Amino acid sequence: MFGWFPRVLPGQALKARGYERLVLQVGRGSLLPAADSCTHITLEAFRFKDSIAEDMKQADLIISHAGAGSCLEALGAGKPLLVVVNDKLMNNHQMELARQLHLDSHLLYCTCSTLTETLSNMDLSVLQPFLPGQPKNFANFLDRALGVQ
């Protein structure tokens, strides 16, 4: 499992779903969790890497924020994707993008406050692959999702 998380680590929900390892990219965040800070699963945290492609390739589930670049990279990896939308943003393009990709069955989404509940109840079997190699289709999709013509 590879993910970006808000300040709460829902280790029990992950363990209950059968996940044993959590790899976090925390970026510039004020918190860098120690390996022993999660008693339910093995935790590895880092700030940045040149590429997280190998982490995504090894992941069983990717949890990410809902930025367009992050969504596209994760969907391109062909892994189940759960995005955590920052619902505090004004003109929330993250919510619009996540909602549309969810309606198209490519990902699941939640907010920080619903992350643990979503992890507990999610059904990854409903997800459909996002077909790679079609940048025009993705551009058209973004235009539709963001209301741009």
Side-chain angles (χ1 to χ4, degrees), residues 50-73:
D50 289 337
S51 173
I52 57 173
E54 188 59 33
D55 295 292
M56 288 186 171
K57 183 179 176 183
Q58 293 179 15
D60 295 316
L61 170 68
I62 297 172
I63 302 173
S64 176
H65 75 120
S70 298
C71 288
L72 182 58
E73 186 174 9

Side-chain angles (χ1 to χ4, degrees), residues 38-146:
C38 189
T39 58
H40 304 288
I41 56 178
T42 303
L43 175 66
E44 174 190 333
F46 62 92
R47 294 212 180 270
F48 296 102
K49 290 183 180 179
D50 289 337
S51 173
I52 57 173
E54 188 59 33
D55 295 292
M56 288 186 171
K57 183 179 176 183
Q58 293 179 15
D60 295 316
L61 170 68
I62 297 172
I63 302 173
S64 176
H65 75 120
S70 298
C71 288
L72 182 58
E73 186 174 9
L75 290 170
K79 301 292 181 162
L81 175 60
L82 170 62
V83 295
V84 183
V85 175
N86 181 349
D87 57 354
K88 306 285 189 261
L89 295 176
M90 292 184 64
N91 301 320
N92 198 341
H93 69 280
Q94 286 191 6
M95 181 62 82
E96 293 169 2
L97 178 61
R99 186 175 291 129
Q100 187 61 53
L101 286 168
H102 175 73
L103 288 172
D104 293 341
S105 300
H106 298 304
L107 59 74
L108 302 175
Y109 74 98
C110 63
T111 62
C112 293
S113 62
T114 61
L115 175 60
T116 301
E117 177 185 354
T118 301
L119 285 169
S120 297
N121 299 321
M122 66 185 178
D123 179 5
L124 300 177
S125 71
V126 302
L127 298 179
Q128 300 296 315
F130 189 84
L131 300 177
Q134 300 176 0
K136 181 68 174 161
N137 288 351
F138 186 71
N140 291 338
F141 164 78
L142 282 178
D143 287 347
R144 284 193 321 272
L146 301 177

Side-chain angles (χ1 to χ4, degrees), residues 4 7 25-32 46-48:
W4 164 90
R7 298 187 186 284
Q25 177 182 350
V26 297
R28 292 183 192 82
S30 59
L31 179 66
L32 181 62
F46 62 92
R47 294 212 180 270
F48 296 102

